[in-house]
Amino acid sequence: MNAVLISAEELRESTEKDLRLLDVRWQLGDPDGPQHYQNGHIPGAVFVDLDTELAALPSPARGRHPLPDPSRLQKCARSWGLCTGDPVVVYDAIGGMSAARAWWLLRWAGIADVRILDGGLPSWIRCGGELATGVEPDPAPGDIEFRPGRLPVIDADAVARWEGVLLDARAAERYRGEQEHLDPRAGHIPGAISAPSSENLDQDGCFLPEDLLRERFGEIGEAPVAVYCGSGVTAAHAIAALAVVGVQAALYPGSWSQWAHDPKRPVATGV
């Protein structure tokens, strides 16, 4: 176990009685996360809706998944049963791509002990973990107090002035501008480096071993790092992968969904 990830085996063997499990199953184009949860989830897990609980309302000016208001996020976290000092494990079924958003937000809000279940629900099933169906009883309301701002965030103006490393966590074809079905312009922020979050994972949907992640990000050096994606969701996955190897990166929450809607912002294509 490390400060970012927990394996399915470690979770099965955990004796932390106050451990909170959050099921963050969300995927672009798949609105059925609540049904997937009811069809089978880790016993005791609470379903968390990424669109409504882990993001503010979308807009062209702010992007598809703006950061939620801290007071609203705290209210949601209390409804999940989170109390001060509780360790938290977040998971999904797509290699942590959506769960990383919850990991990042809770760390940003001041919760130190938040980990992503490495490999998500498939890893839990592979190691013999049991599943519960239906809906869990509502947890007792929590008392968590958030202290937002514990992880670095940058806005579009800061991105335009960024002198460090800027990583684009989207698929490479979107970075190159060959494919864009979500936003009004195709391409990437000038100066950004393509670093798809999908390449942080092995064939089983688990994060690559630390030595391979270190090799993957080895050319970053000592420069400050910032990450964006389509709407600030999978960028959190890249930030988690960087954290595994001891690199802190800033998140650009508006990401391409904000940048591409602003005609004043330049766009680059190709490699």
Side-chain angles (χ1 to χ4, degrees):
M1 184 177 69
N2 60 38
V4 178
L5 306 173
I6 183 172
S7 72
E9 292 80 5
E10 289 168 333
L11 181 58
R12 285 192 70 194
E13 296 169 1
S14 174
T15 58
E16 295 175 287
K17 62 180 180 179
D18 295 325
L19 179 69
R20 303 295 178 178
L21 284 165
L22 304 181
D23 184 311
V24 197
R25 269 181 281 179
W26 174 92
Q27 194 166 3
L28 192 64
D30 181 0
D32 296 327
Q35 187 60 55
H36 299 322
Y37 167 83
Q38 291 188 41
N39 291 344
H41 57 269
I42 298 176
V46 175
F47 180 75
V48 173
D49 188 284
L50 188 147
D51 282 326
T52 62
E53 297 184 292
L54 302 182
L57 292 174
S59 72
R62 298 187 65 199
R64 278 192 302 281
H65 291 105
L67 296 186
D69 177 80
S71 61
R72 162 70 177 162
L73 180 62
Q74 179 176 282
K75 182 178 180 180
C76 291
R78 289 181 174 184
S79 76
W80 308 331
L82 267 60
C83 292
T84 301
D86 287 347
V88 182
V89 172
V90 298
Y91 73 89
D92 56 33
I94 51 172
M97 290 292 178
S98 56
R101 171 74 170 207
W103 170 85
W104 187 92
L105 275 172
L106 293 176
R107 287 285 184 91
W108 169 80
I111 300 180
D113 191 356
V114 187
R115 287 160 287 168
I116 300 168
L117 177 57
D118 199 12
L121 194 63
S123 284
W124 175 260
I125 294 170
R126 282 196 301 270
C127 81
E130 296 180 357
L131 294 180
T133 57
V135 179
E136 298 279 344
D138 290 338
D143 63 4
I144 192 72
E145 293 282 349
F146 281 167
R147 305 180 306 281
R150 300 305 172 114
L151 292 180
V153 177
I154 58 174
D155 61 15
D157 289 338
V159 170
R161 301 189 301 267
W162 193 251
E163 296 182 354
V165 175
L166 180 62
L167 300 181
D168 184 319
R170 298 174 299 159
E173 57 269 21
R174 290 187 69 196
Y175 169 87
R176 294 191 296 265
E178 299 166 358
Q179 181 186 105
E180 185 53 72
H181 58 285
L182 296 169
D183 296 307
R185 293 190 289 170
H188 59 268
I189 298 173
I193 298 169
S194 181
S197 283
S198 59
E199 295 181 11
N200 299 327
L201 301 174
D202 64 17
Q203 61 185 5
D204 292 324
C206 295
F207 278 76
L208 294 172
E210 186 173 335
D211 59 335
L212 294 182
L213 285 175
R214 197 173 300 281
E215 180 180 329
R216 169 164 163 71
F217 297 115
E219 296 181 4
I220 287 177
E222 299 298 320
V225 182
V227 188
Y228 74 94
C229 58
S231 66
V233 174
T234 58
H237 194 277
I239 291 173
L242 286 160
V244 169
V245 298
V247 175
Q248 184 180 70
L251 174 69
Y252 169 31
S255 286
W256 188 249
S257 61
Q258 180 186 52
W259 188 276
H261 275 90
D262 187 345
K264 301 189 300 294
R265 303 294 181 186
V267 169
T269 57
V271 296

